[in-house]
Amino acid sequence: PADPRVLASHGLLAVVADGMGGCKGGEIASQLACANIPKHYFASRAPIADALHSALNLVNSEIYQVALKKTDLRGMGTTCVALAVAAGNAWLAYVGDSRLYLIRGTQIYRMSEDHSVVFEMVRQGLLTPEQARDHEDRNVLSRALGSKPKVQISYWTEPFPVLKGDRFLL
């Protein structure tokens, strides 16, 4: 943000959204997410974790409402991963299978979990990670922004300390 006060209170924000639901619908959903999440996040006076969570919730509703008004966009949605970094800490909020990785030194750490049918099967012990890689349903999402009126957003309620040299990949 250009305003130094907003930069001091909210830090930097990075957002990646990967649309789904047909070429046109997915593109619109991802554009809405990328345009409106920063707008809602930086306008919020809530603590960073709450502001990030709220921004994704608001955008979920906005995408869903657009889809209700246009029948050719019904079912559109987008995955989304949003990372805020401020005062030496990071906060994450995400929906779907867009991921966040932390590169620390020579190690790469996956910092998010996919919201997909196959990942849930791995979590429940029904599939091994090796079986999941080639499973026919590996791209079927269990959550996405805009596809339903309400969505469960995964997010960090506590700050994650960022060390000198850390890099994030969304």
Side-chain angles (χ1 to χ4, degrees):
D3 185 334
R5 291 173 296 172
V6 175
L7 180 61
S9 66
H10 285 70
L12 303 173
L13 179 67
V15 177
V16 169
D18 182 14
M20 50 167 264
C23 185
K24 183 178 179 185
E27 182 179 339
I28 291 169
S30 63
Q31 286 174 350
L32 285 168
C34 287
N36 292 346
I37 288 170
K39 179 178 73 173
H40 295 306
Y41 172 72
F42 287 117
S44 175
R45 294 180 185 214
I48 291 176
D50 296 334
L52 201 52
H53 183 258
S54 176
L56 270 70
N57 264 323
L58 288 167
V59 168
N60 180 73
S61 295
E62 291 168 357
I63 295 169
Y64 185 76
Q65 290 303 315
V66 169
L68 282 181
K69 292 176 186 168
K70 297 185 179 183
T71 56
D72 61 324
L73 299 178
R74 294 250 163 93
M76 77 172 176
T78 186
T79 68
C80 183
V81 58
L83 178 73
V85 180
N89 292 299
W91 290 264
L92 171 68
Y94 64 98
V95 176
D97 62 358
S98 290
R99 297 177 178 169
L100 174 71
Y101 295 92
L102 166 65
I103 303 165
R104 181 172 275 172
T106 60
Q107 300 293 313
I108 299 175
Y109 303 93
R110 186 166 150 184
M111 305 299 285
S112 59
E113 296 181 339
D114 291 354
H115 297 142
S116 68
V117 171
V118 169
F119 188 83
E120 292 300 323
M121 293 169 75
V122 170
R123 186 187 307 206
Q124 294 170 11
L126 301 172
L127 291 176
T128 66
E130 293 75 27
Q131 292 170 320
R133 275 190 215 110
D134 297 321
H135 195 279
E136 63 184 13
D137 292 332
R138 68 186 172 276
N139 295 326
V140 177
L141 298 176
S142 56
R143 299 183 215 170
L145 286 182
S147 59
K148 295 180 180 173
K150 300 277 185 201
V151 67
Q152 182 181 352
I153 296 162
S154 294
Y155 73 109
W156 295 344
T157 57
E158 297 296 322
F160 177 83
V162 178
L163 303 180
K164 184 175 180 177
D166 281 355
R167 292 173 285 155
F168 291 98
L169 173 66
L170 289 76

